[in-house]
Amino acid sequence: MTQKQKPIAFLLPSFQQGGLQRVAINLIKQLHQQGVRLDVVVASGKGAYLTEIPAEIRIIDFHTPIEDRIASASRVTLPLARYLRSEKPQALVSNLNVFNVVAGMAKTLAMSPVNLILVEHTSFSITYEKRQKHYGIREEVLPILRRWFYPRADAVVAVSKGLAQELETYLRMKPGAVQTIYNPVIDESLLLKAKASVEHPWFQLGEPPVILGVGRLSQEKDFPTLIRAFALVRQVKSARLVILGEGKERSKLNALIRELGLENDVGLPGFTNNPYSYLARSAAFVLSSYREGLPTVIIESIAVGTPVVSTDCPNGPAEILANGKYGELVAVGDSQAIANAILKVLSGESKSVDSSWLEQFTLATSTQNYLQLIGNG
């Protein structure tokens, strides 16, 4: 693409750590390598991932930190509309459910012909219940706005088939109206990073096997169930548990670890830019979430050859693991079932994954799917 051609714009809330940002930046970097002209439009351009944006990519920073709420996110509507009018991008790709509504409002306000692509990563129904609990009637307008703006986008993308079906029902769209494009996860960089050394003493040779959890320390990840499951595993077998990530639930998790007397066997080392090396050296990866959109870390685990134990939550784990063919699926919130599955893996009953199955989760496949959707493929 020449510089005279219109850019493709990616709309992000920030460059803070998170699965959504990680996925978008992977895609942005790959498109850049293919010569696509890009703008990254960000509400607040701060965060650890800023350094990963190639220097040649233009960053439009609105300097407006937002929360995941419509009242907060809507502050970006006017500056985004001005950007659409002045820069006239070929496409606008938005990746956050509240931001997706803002993107629709900005396009309408700007009377822009931009090709609007809304990408959904999480369950609407569970997210809405959570919003009602925290914000009450102030968020009642959000479902109405979603049902108005999503069907009017040029494309709505879900990161899993299960999520696509849920969205079609929730948004009252025709079956097949929401497209599925799996997150761009597997590439040479991931496999290279997986080979890096890990300084943490528990991952050295001769130490007990390590069970790994990865993700924001938030309620939906349900790490208390994982910790309780690990306590049951420790009654049977010597092992350790490491949970990588940061979040609001840290103090509660530490309290539970102390309550169960696991201080010497459970570690919360925080966020790392390279969880892949930890994954590659773990005896098992466990996802204990009660909801997901497409849990990228499961894909990363099977890509580096680490056995997976996951709750069969909506949406994604069953899809990625082929309904249990490539990993252990257990009921949500069942610490005993998770413990049994971990012990099964530790006994050597892991499941190998066909390389052809992994192809659908590669960066190359995902990038090509997005290029076709945007009209550059």
Side-chain angles (χ1 to χ4, degrees):
M1 179 180 282
T2 67
Q3 287 299 305
K4 291 182 180 179
Q5 288 180 290
K6 297 175 182 178
I8 293 169
F10 278 79
L11 180 63
L12 292 174
S14 71
F15 295 118
Q16 299 293 342
Q17 67 191 58
L20 180 155
Q21 284 91 332
R22 173 77 273 159
V23 165
I25 289 170
N26 280 351
L27 183 59
I28 287 165
K29 288 158 66 173
Q30 184 71 6
L31 289 170
H32 173 67
Q33 287 179 12
Q34 295 190 21
V36 177
R37 185 182 172 200
L38 299 167
D39 283 350
V40 176
V41 183
V42 62
S44 177
K46 295 181 180 180
Y49 288 150
L50 174 60
T51 57
E52 295 199 28
I53 302 295
E56 299 83 2
I57 294 178
R58 187 170 64 154
I59 297 174
I60 290 87
D61 185 356
F62 294 148
H63 301 286
T64 307
I66 65 162
E67 298 174 14
D68 187 16
R69 296 169 52 191
I70 188 62
S72 175
S74 62
R75 291 184 293 157
V76 174
T77 306
L78 285 177
L80 180 58
R82 285 194 290 268
Y83 164 79
L84 293 176
R85 276 198 300 264
S86 62
E87 302 302 323
K88 298 178 173 58
Q90 174 189 349
L92 177 65
V93 183
S94 177
N95 276 273
L96 178 68
N97 47 30
V98 175
F99 244 22
N100 290 349
V101 168
V102 170
M105 290 193 294
K107 175 180 176 174
T108 302
L109 188 63
M111 293 184 287
S112 168
V114 68
N115 184 9
L116 182 59
I117 299 168
L118 306 181
V119 186
E120 192 56 59
H121 293 256
T122 56
S123 165
F124 268 17
S125 56
I126 297 176
T127 303
Y128 177 55
E129 289 173 11
K130 186 179 177 182
R131 286 180 184 284
Q132 277 190 313
K133 182 178 178 182
H134 284 275
Y135 305 129
I137 197 166
R138 287 175 292 173
E139 291 294 299
E140 289 292 330
V141 70
L142 191 56
I144 299 169
L145 293 173
R146 280 172 170 161
R147 288 186 177 123
W148 175 261
F149 285 110
Y150 272 64
R152 287 163 176 77
D154 296 278
V156 178
V157 175
V159 297
S160 69
K161 293 174 183 175
L163 183 57
Q165 292 172 356
E166 180 187 320
L167 291 180
E168 286 164 359
T169 300
Y170 183 91
L171 297 169
R172 300 167 187 166
M173 296 172 74
K174 294 178 181 179
V178 178
Q179 302 183 51
T180 299
I181 300 180
Y182 288 128
N183 285 337
V185 179
I186 304 169
D187 63 357
E188 291 181 8
S189 172
L190 184 156
L191 301 177
L192 187 64
K193 288 179 179 178
K195 296 178 181 178
S197 60
V198 175
E199 298 301 321
H200 196 292
W202 290 0
F203 289 85
Q204 307 311 313
L205 288 174
E207 294 295 320
V210 177
I211 310 304
L212 190 70
V214 180
R216 275 177 295 106
L217 307 184
S218 56
Q219 288 184 348
E220 62 265 25
K221 300 299 181 183
D222 196 11
F223 286 125
T225 292
L226 173 55
I227 292 168
R228 292 188 182 95
F230 176 74
L232 296 172
V233 169
R234 277 294 284 115
Q235 293 174 10
V236 179
K237 190 174 181 66
S238 175
R240 285 171 173 150
L241 172 65
V242 170
I243 300 175
L244 299 176
E246 269 305 342
K248 296 178 180 178
E249 297 292 302
R250 172 177 281 275
S251 60
K252 292 181 182 178
L253 297 178
N254 278 325
L256 179 60
I257 290 166
R258 289 192 298 271
E259 178 188 327
L260 297 173
L262 297 171
E263 297 96 325
N264 295 327
D265 294 310
V266 179
L268 305 177
F271 173 78
T272 174
N273 278 318
N274 185 10
Y276 320 117
S277 56
Y278 287 80
L279 279 169
R281 287 160 181 78
S282 296
F285 166 74
V286 181
L287 184 129
S288 51
S289 303
Y290 62 74
R291 61 105 169 166
E292 290 281 351
L294 185 82
T296 301
V297 68
I298 293 182
I299 300 169
E300 293 164 345
S301 297
I302 60 178
V304 301
T306 299
V308 172
V309 172
S310 175
T311 54
D312 190 8
C313 68
N315 291 282
E319 262 179 68
I320 299 168
L321 298 174
N323 294 314
K325 181 179 179 182
Y326 298 128
E328 302 296 327
L329 288 170
V330 299
V332 172
D334 191 335
S335 55
Q336 184 65 64
I338 292 176
N340 292 343
I342 292 172
L343 288 168
K344 185 178 177 181
V345 169
L346 292 180
S347 71
E349 292 187 47
S350 58
K351 303 172 180 180
S352 60
V353 182
D354 297 333
S355 58
S356 59
W357 178 256
L358 294 173
E359 186 63 33
Q360 63 191 319
F361 305 115
T362 63
L363 185 53
T365 298
S366 182
T367 301
Q368 191 56 42
N369 287 336
Y370 273 102
L371 282 172
Q372 289 174 356
L373 192 63
I374 293 165
N376 287 56

